[in-house]
Amino acid sequence: MKLWQKENTVTSEKIERFTVGRDVELDLHLAEFDVLGNLAHAAMLESIGLLTKAELSDLQHELKAIYRTTQAGEFTIEEGVEDVHSQVELLLTRKLGDTGKKIHSGRSRNDQVLVDLKLYVRERLTQVVQATDKLFQVLQSRAEQHNDDLLPGYTHLQIAMPSSFGLWFGAYAEGLIDDVVQLNAAYRLANRNPLGSGAGYGSSFPLNRTMTTELLGFEGLHYNVVYAQMSRGRTEQAALTALASLASTVSRLAMDVCLYNSQNFGFIVLPDALTTGSSIMPHKKNPDVAELLRAKTNRLKALPMEVTLVLSNLPSGYHRDMQLLKEILMPAFDEMLDCLDVAAFMLENMKVKTNLLAESRYDLLFSVERVNELVMQGVPFRDAYRQVGKEIGEDTYAPPRNLKHTHEGSIGNLNLAEISDRMSNELARFEFDKVQKAFQNLLEA
């Protein structure tokens, strides 16, 4: 029987198939978190007298055994079992009889799935942050390596002023810090405890919600039980919005690689191992990796709107519409992690061309340098601007290629150490160690 099923009631097989959807498949991702939530809930039930110490000990023993199957990839949801919560309770009941049935006291499937999702999102965001830091480190390393290798800078896709590969790599590195800030905002929304809110209206049992908050390493409670349920959807939307921001950074980087790798730009070279060929043109070395990165990350940018549309016009309380959010959310993490890994690999193996600005077609990049040169000699800026414009028009302009940029964040002063410090400070805000310690304590109790 289902957890919600009454005696002598039968749901149509067609309706059951429609309502369950992909839950059995997707719930496997929640299994380890469901077990952790059960461990915390059981400890709390014992503390308020709804379980004996012996019953708690038995539950802990069996739950840890189930947890080990989740880590070994051996956990399955049996045919006819509706979801992960039902499967875990079924396993406990088989082993412990009435003790297994007691674990649902003071809880609803609503807050059970919600705590699972909070823990899942928190863990997956942790993985994304760590992968983002890896990409950040690659960008910083390449920026330092190519600090002095000049690159044309563009506005309106026309040559504008001198840039450098150091500036280019470093720009995307610093952009990732802002993405980490947004990931932290999403992490904090996921890092609040809904357990004990039940179906959204609390319980007459004297539940100790602060205790489960601490046991699961949450930053704090969702205090209001109605709002705890209303956070379903907001958590997913915040996570996907943060992923969309990160995806936008990677997408823009991928587009630059596509341009810079083309013959008309010719600034970088992707090695053969990172390119594909043409079935008809033997000379082709296509940047498919960058093109697919661009497409995959662009697709991720649409996902927050999908969640918005699913949630549109929903009143307060739980609604089955929210079940569909898992189908949007869970694959997004895998896609983002894959893109971050491939982007780092691509950047590590990319070859940068040097001495690009020595070519005469880039002479005009140095026009501002010529203006500034005159200003340093005492010529008012507007007069210097007109004079250089006249030199260009009369073909007497000579580009001053000896750059003297010194201010913070310029070609000659990339501030890579300061950017690294900022990233370290943002990463420290997550307090990942607190979560790891909480889980370790649960599993060793």
Side-chain angles (χ1 to χ4, degrees), residues 202-442:
S203 171
S204 59
F205 293 126
L207 305 178
N208 187 342
R209 299 186 62 216
T210 298
M211 179 179 177
T212 57
T213 298
E214 293 170 353
L215 286 173
L216 291 168
F218 282 115
E219 179 183 345
L221 271 166
H222 278 307
Y223 293 104
N224 186 294
V225 292
V226 172
Y227 180 67
Q229 289 300 319
M230 290 169 66
S231 74
R232 179 88 182 266
R234 290 194 71 170
T235 300
E236 292 91 330
Q237 189 173 48
L240 289 169
T241 298
L243 292 188
S245 173
L246 179 58
S248 182
T249 300
V250 177
S251 172
R252 199 168 191 176
L253 171 62
M255 180 59 190
D256 277 357
V257 171
C258 290
L259 284 176
Y260 292 177
N261 182 71
S262 69
Q263 289 86 348
N264 288 342
F265 285 78
F267 303 156
I268 61 174
V269 176
L270 294 177
D272 291 348
L274 282 172
T275 62
T276 63
S278 163
S279 64
I280 189 173
M281 295 169 282
H283 69 282
K284 291 297 288 298
K285 290 175 60 177
N286 299 322
D288 288 12
V289 61
E291 292 170 351
L292 286 171
L293 275 174
R294 182 176 60 193
K296 286 172 179 284
T297 49
N298 282 343
R299 200 167 59 173
L300 286 169
K301 290 189 282 186
L303 298 184
M305 181 53 66
E306 281 196 52
V307 173
T308 298
L309 293 174
V310 171
L311 299 177
S312 292
N313 303 322
L314 292 185
S316 61
Y318 173 77
H319 310 278
R320 194 65 178 264
D321 311 53
M322 296 173 182
Q323 175 180 303
L324 301 182
L325 299 180
K326 285 188 279 190
E327 298 179 18
I328 304 170
L329 177 75
M330 291 180 170
F333 284 113
D334 290 332
E335 192 81 280
M336 189 75 255
L337 287 166
D338 192 36
C339 286
L340 290 169
D341 182 53
V342 169
F345 183 77
M346 176 182 70
L347 291 171
E348 284 174 326
N349 291 279
M350 176 191 300
K351 181 181 178 182
V352 164
K353 291 187 179 179
T354 57
N355 299 318
L356 289 172
L357 300 195
E359 298 180 35
S360 60
R361 60 175 169 158
Y362 294 125
D363 285 355
L364 294 180
L365 280 171
F366 298 91
S367 66
V368 176
E369 302 298 321
R370 172 61 179 149
V371 171
N372 292 348
E373 187 177 71
L374 292 172
V375 170
M376 292 295 289
Q377 295 170 9
V379 180
F381 176 83
R382 192 51 57 197
D383 293 340
Y385 175 91
R386 293 191 181 94
Q387 179 177 330
V388 174
K390 184 179 180 182
E391 290 176 0
I392 293 171
E394 294 176 350
D395 203 23
T396 59
Y397 161 77
R401 282 185 158 80
N402 185 22
L403 300 181
K404 301 182 181 66
H405 295 196
T406 59
H407 71 74
E408 299 93 328
S410 65
I411 293 173
N413 185 8
L414 294 180
N415 290 122
L416 295 179
E418 290 80 1
I419 291 172
S420 287
D421 287 345
R422 186 181 165 213
M423 177 60 103
S424 296
N425 291 335
E426 294 300 334
L427 292 174
R429 297 177 189 274
F430 287 88
E431 298 184 332
F432 295 137
D433 290 346
K434 177 183 176 182
V435 174
Q436 293 173 354
K437 185 176 180 180
F439 285 176
Q440 184 177 353
N441 290 340
L442 263 182

